[in-house]
Amino acid sequence: MKDLTRCVHHPAVSHEGFSSLAVPTYRASTIVYPDAESFAQRKYRGPDGYSYGLHGTPTTRTLEAQLTELHGGVRTVLVPSGQAAVTVVMLSVLVPGDRVLIPDTVYPPVRGFCANYLKPRGIDYEVYDPLIGDGIADLIDGCTKLVWIESPGSGTMEVQDVPAIVRAAKAKGVLVGCDNTWASPLLFKPLAHGADFAIEALTKYVGGHSDLLLGSITVKDLDLRQRLKDTLRMVGIGVSPDEAALALRGIETMGVRLAHMGRISEDFARRLEKHPVIDRVLHPALPSCPGHAFWMRDFKGSSAVFSVVLKPGCEENLGPALTALRIFAIGASWGGTRSLIAPMAITGDRTVNPWVSEGTVLRISIGLEDPDDLWADLTNLFAKLDQEPAAKVA
């Protein structure tokens, strides 16, 4: 063997005696086969077989298996983002002439996907009141093939009666998908309540460090898993084992991080209820939050995210007050080590129950900083909002 060949062909080394707690990161585009017959028969390797790097490596399979166990499903597929998880489900189960029901509080890009991609291609959608409960049966017609749930709702935190919605859908043979990103499988398990798809934006709590984009879909039916895999194969979507490795590292500390963040978010939500510049606090743990009783019944606890509605008149000071924050960062997403805050545009995203509040909505995500530092930063923010605007003082 000449040197140029030695540069390309790696020597075999013994793995005897080697055992690591870390999951190896297997990078691969090409999967090699021991003989020609194995290559010819590769499509028969089964749902968990390896055929090409795009369709999975031992690293991605490990993450899929771990998420499957947490959700109590039978299989999980990985996709590049939480939004991709939602859209891949819809693309896999809906065809022209079908209809999907989505809650009024759904993540806005999902509504945009339904309006701007599905509808022009002959797939209809209808927006429903997230608190409709078993009344959703009245909206399910012969064309309805999927009911989508997001609980708590995006931005305004309405908690849905998932078991009631699932019962109504199942009585009419309709599939149910649930965006479970707020809770993660540690706080709520959609499949245990009858949903067919549990999706997560792994970008948030699983990643945990604001440096990862990844999503997952967990199912309890192998046929549904095959439909998802067929869609991913046809459109050429896969995920990098490097992202999966980051998720595998992050998931190990998710329980500790989520417990801490949830405890602080509840404490802050209760304290902020009494602040003079705050009109409402939207947190599922508060009795005033729509659907609080369902949260008490179905969820194991709180996560990091909640919202506050400012009293009208604070808008003029909002920009400078946010800019003056020292601990909280201004940014989208959540679930990482850093605490975040962001103004939310709600009015244009609600049609069934129009958003009528005149106050700005701020979404708050608790990170891992010292709670005293966080509270001081928040109280300084709200103190600035309570001041007369600088122009008026002059």
Side-chain angles (χ1 to χ4, degrees):
M1 187 180 293
K2 298 183 182 293
D3 284 350
L4 290 181
T5 304
R6 287 194 178 98
C7 286
V8 176
H9 290 250
H10 303 291
V13 297
S14 172
H15 287 197
E16 184 179 352
F18 177 81
S19 181
S20 172
L21 290 173
V23 178
T25 303
Y26 290 95
R27 301 181 182 92
S29 56
T30 298
I31 305 295
V32 297
Y33 299 81
D35 50 56
E37 181 64 19
S38 298
F39 181 74
Q41 299 295 317
R42 64 192 183 279
K43 69 178 180 179
Y44 301 112
R45 287 191 163 193
D48 300 312
Y50 299 105
S51 59
Y52 188 64
L54 182 68
H55 310 309
T57 74
T59 309
T60 56
R61 290 282 190 271
T62 302
L63 178 58
E64 289 169 354
Q66 194 163 10
L67 291 166
T68 298
E69 289 183 358
L70 285 169
H71 273 291
V74 295
R75 289 295 190 283
T76 295
V77 300
L78 301 176
V79 292
S81 68
Q83 171 72 355
V86 181
T87 59
V88 165
V89 170
M90 294 185 179
L91 290 172
S92 299
V93 302
L94 300 172
V95 298
D98 290 346
R99 190 169 73 123
V100 58
L101 304 181
I102 60 172
D104 207 16
T105 52
V106 76
Y107 179 49
V110 174
R111 187 190 292 245
F113 177 75
C114 292
N116 301 318
Y117 187 88
L118 293 182
K119 192 170 180 62
R121 290 161 177 81
I123 300 172
D124 202 5
Y125 75 100
E126 182 171 350
V127 182
Y128 69 89
D129 181 345
L131 301 178
I132 196 171
D134 57 12
I136 202 166
D138 297 332
L139 302 181
I140 299 175
D141 59 17
C143 295
T144 305
K145 296 298 186 291
L146 177 67
V147 173
W148 196 256
I149 292 169
E150 183 176 333
S151 180
S154 187
T156 47
M157 302 292 149
E158 295 88 341
V159 182
Q160 298 188 250
D161 189 347
V162 175
I165 293 173
V166 168
R167 284 194 300 270
K170 293 303 174 184
K172 299 195 175 187
V174 173
L175 296 169
V176 178
C178 180
D179 185 337
N180 194 51
T181 302
W182 183 90
S184 88
L186 299 184
L187 301 180
F188 184 73
K189 300 182 189 295
L191 301 185
H193 290 81
D196 299 286
F197 303 95
I199 80 102
E200 305 277 346
L202 305 181
T203 303
K204 275 63 171 183
Y205 298 121
V206 169
H209 292 80
S210 306
D211 58 0
L212 169 67
L213 290 169
L214 203 62
S216 66
I217 311 162
T218 304
V219 297
K220 55 183 179 180
D221 183 290
L222 284 176
D223 288 339
L224 292 178
R225 191 260 195 178
Q226 189 58 50
R227 292 168 75 175
L228 295 171
K229 292 294 286 186
D230 288 345
T231 299
L232 294 174
R233 191 178 299 271
M234 284 186 291
V235 297
I237 291 179
V239 302
S240 164
D242 293 280
E243 268 81 36
L246 287 174
L248 284 164
R249 184 176 65 179
I251 204 170
E252 293 184 12
T253 61
M254 180 172 69
V256 177
R257 289 184 283 106
L258 195 57
H260 171 82
M261 294 168 174
R263 184 172 62 253
I264 302 306
S265 80
E266 281 195 35
D267 175 50
F268 281 15
R270 292 189 173 95
R271 292 160 71 178
L272 289 172
E273 278 191 298
K274 304 172 184 176
H275 199 284
V277 302
I278 293 177
D279 184 49
R280 277 187 290 164
V281 178
L282 304 172
H283 192 300
L286 299 181
S288 58
C289 187
H292 167 75
F294 305 136
W295 178 83
M296 288 288 293
R297 182 191 66 192
D298 298 335
F299 287 69
K300 290 185 177 180
S302 294
S303 72
V305 183
F306 67 101
S307 299
V308 299
V309 183
L310 301 177
K311 289 183 177 178
C314 297
E315 292 77 10
E316 292 183 67
N317 285 335
L318 184 58
L322 288 172
T323 303
L325 287 166
R326 296 177 58 251
I327 308 298
F328 280 87
I330 304 169
S333 196
W334 32 270
T337 60
R338 288 288 303 274
S339 294
L340 297 170
I341 194 165
M344 301 291 293
I346 303 295
T347 303
D349 294 326
R350 302 299 155 89
T351 55
V352 175
N353 294 320
W355 185 254
V356 295
S357 175
E358 296 180 6
T360 299
V361 178
L362 295 180
R363 185 178 65 195
I364 297 171
S365 172
I366 300 301
L368 298 183
E369 300 93 341
D370 186 280
D372 290 340
D373 287 338
L374 291 175
W375 183 250
D377 212 28
L378 279 181
T379 53
N380 184 55
L381 166 72
F382 294 129
K384 291 181 181 298
L385 292 179
D386 203 23
Q387 296 173 355
E388 285 292 316
K392 291 185 179 180
V393 171

